[in-house]
Structure formats: structure tokens, C-alpha cells
Amino acid sequence: MRPVKMLITTSKWIFNVAFCLYIAGCGNRTANNTAATTTTDTSTVAAPTDNGPQFKKEGELYFIGKAKNDTLHKIDMEVAETDDERAQGLMRRRSMTDGQGMLFVFTEAAEQSFWMKDTYISLDIIYVDDKKEIVSIQKYTTPQSEESLPSFKKAQYVVEVNAGFCDKYHIGFGDKIAFSKN
């Protein structure tokens, strides 16, 4: 009978030690897990975010139907006017609503060509001439593709919206755009 009692006592002791170690290990984990930065030997590095660049509304853009000259849809727009802004475009953006888009403004009308490198969302790319009339559309682009997506005609403006936008809101060749910046 003695060895059984000794085994039970030893088991209780081992359980208590293991339980205390478990509790001690739990400690204040939230302080370590919610830190916004990671410290290295010589610098502080921001923890990476997964959302990509945030949308910043810089104006509104209207799609105007050619048949009735009526507003087909309105979006909030972000504007890319400089070479650096146009080069960045929607790269690294993880999401965008149907009520958002980007307007690229060029100094003069010329044949344009875009690609989807480092762009994670599928887009409709709408090419617009100097009279603000839609001259071509590249629909349902392939994310992260390096394939050239040309305008085929001279365009001074380019609008990028979520893939399927043009089909959903019946936007096509000959329709126009109008916009106002904040």
C-alpha cells in the first residue's frame, strides 16, 4: 500500500510544479504581443502592416453616359499627377471599395500603357482622352502581371477602379468623365 500512496503524492507534487511553471510562463504576454515596433541593435523598425497604402480622398469623379448625358456613377478619387505618384499608382494596395478609384493626370494626351506589377487587386483601367471621353478600357486585369495594358489611342487621363466596375455600372466607350479636386 505504501508504494501507491507514495506514487500519488509524487504525482500531486509533479502536477503542482508543472501547474506553477505553466502559470508563471503565461505572465504578461499582452505587453510583448501588442508592441508596435521591434527594436534591433541600432534602430527601431515599424512592425509591418498588411493593409498597404490607405486611400486618401482628393476629389470626386463622375461617369457621364453618352446617350442621355446623365451621371452613371460617382466615386471618390485619389489623384496621381506627378511622375512619382503615377509610378506608385495603386501598387501594394490590398483593397478598395466600389466608391473609390484613382485618377492619373498626364500633361498631354499620348498613347498610354499600364501594368499590374505589385498591384494586388484586379482593376478596370479606363483610358480617357483630352476631351474627357473614354477611348478604351482594359477590364478585369490580372494582379501582379507585368503584361502591358495599352490604351491603343491617345489618352490624357486614366481612371483605375475595381475589376467589374465598368460592367456593373454600364460604363463604356464614348462615355465621359468629369471631376473636381478638393
Side-chain angles (χ1 to χ4, degrees):
M1 202 67 161
R2 209 166 224 261
V4 172
K5 190 173 186 179
M6 202 169 166
L7 180 62
I8 292 173
T9 304
T10 305
S11 297
K12 285 181 184 178
W13 184 82
I14 291 173
F15 174 79
N16 287 335
V17 169
F19 184 72
C20 288
L21 288 173
Y22 173 76
I23 296 297
C26 290
N28 188 5
R29 288 183 172 200
T30 56
N32 293 334
N33 290 341
T34 59
T37 58
T38 305
T39 305
T40 61
D41 291 342
T42 58
S43 64
T44 301
V45 180
T49 59
D50 199 45
N51 299 331
Q54 295 299 307
F55 180 83
K56 56 184 178 201
K57 180 181 176 180
E58 297 176 315
E60 295 178 334
L61 186 140
Y62 298 85
F63 293 93
I64 301 164
K66 65 182 170 191
K68 297 180 183 176
N69 206 30
D70 58 335
T71 300
L72 300 172
H73 199 67
K74 175 192 87 72
I75 61 169
D76 293 334
M77 67 174 184
E78 194 168 337
V79 182
E81 294 179 289
T82 67
D83 288 339
D84 287 341
E85 290 171 336
R86 287 189 295 262
Q88 177 64 35
L90 293 174
M91 288 170 50
R92 295 178 185 79
R93 189 76 48 104
R94 296 287 182 177
S95 66
M96 191 168 60
T97 70
D98 265 1
Q100 298 173 329
M102 180 169 278
L103 172 68
F104 295 80
V105 180
F106 295 90
T107 54
E108 59 186 49
E111 287 194 26
Q112 306 294 339
S113 186
F114 279 47
W115 67 350
M116 296 294 292
K117 183 177 182 190
D118 295 327
T119 305
Y120 301 118
I121 52 178
S122 182
L123 302 170
D124 284 355
I125 301 175
I126 305 164
Y127 295 101
V128 181
D129 68 12
D130 56 340
K131 296 176 189 89
K132 298 184 181 155
E133 183 177 317
I134 297 172
V135 294
S136 67
I137 302 172
Q138 294 279 354
K139 295 181 182 182
Y140 301 95
T141 61
T142 304
Q144 301 189 51
S145 171
E146 293 185 23
E147 175 188 359
S148 177
L149 302 166
S151 62
F152 300 110
K153 294 184 179 181
K154 289 185 178 183
Q156 187 167 353
Y157 307 95
V158 179
V159 181
E160 290 183 340
V161 290
N162 282 333
F165 181 92
C166 292
D167 289 341
K168 183 175 183 178
Y169 297 105
H170 310 288
I171 294 166
F173 305 108
D175 291 335
K176 294 191 173 203
I177 65 166
F179 57 87
S180 61
K181 294 193 263 183
N182 293 344

